[in-house]
Amino acid sequence: MIKFSAVRLAFIAAVMASSSMSFAAPTDIKSAMIERCADEAVQLKMTDSASAKKVCSCTINVQASQLKLGEFWDIQSAAMKGQNPNNLPALKRIKGDLDKCRAGVKMSEPQFPAASKK
């Protein structure tokens, strides 16, 4: 089983949110990304809804305020390739603030649904 840190899951959720949103109507992208991240954290049984929204909101705010767009995409790309993005300089730079986002929140390892057998 692949282990994901809470930071990595938040980054993956952010990518999934941006790629799965419908842009037919005006959308508050930041709010949509936070909602999608929180929904996935709850679905993967990592934490409760209120805690997931707190962590996701904080994480996305840190990313938005402290990463350049290229750094954000480098982190996303590494995570989507199954690589650990924790060694990237940009993520190391913001790690302290990301850790503060999870302070006091109990986060469990994600529980992925079993793959269906065909």
Side-chain angles (χ1 to χ4, degrees), residues 39-108:
D39 288 347
E40 288 189 6
V42 171
Q43 289 173 2
L44 295 173
K45 300 178 181 173
M46 295 180 68
T47 192
D48 63 272
S49 181
S51 296
K53 285 182 182 178
K54 174 192 176 280
V55 171
C56 291
S57 178
C58 180
T59 298
I60 289 170
N61 283 326
V62 168
Q63 292 171 359
S65 66
Q66 296 186 29
L67 291 176
K68 295 177 183 174
L69 186 57
E71 293 172 328
F72 175 80
W73 292 126
D74 288 345
I75 292 166
Q76 296 292 338
S77 295
M80 294 304 289
K81 290 177 192 172
Q83 300 170 345
N84 184 347
N86 290 329
N87 294 323
L88 294 173
L91 194 51
K92 286 181 179 180
R93 187 180 74 241
I94 65 171
K95 184 181 181 325
D97 289 326
L98 293 173
D99 289 342
K100 290 177 189 174
C101 291
R102 293 185 309 279
V105 176
K106 183 180 182 320
M107 300 287 291
S108 302

Side-chain angles (χ1 to χ4, degrees), residues 17-31:
S18 64
S19 65
S20 64
M21 287 184 284
S22 170
F23 292 103
T27 302
D28 176 355
I29 295 171
K30 183 177 168 185
S31 294

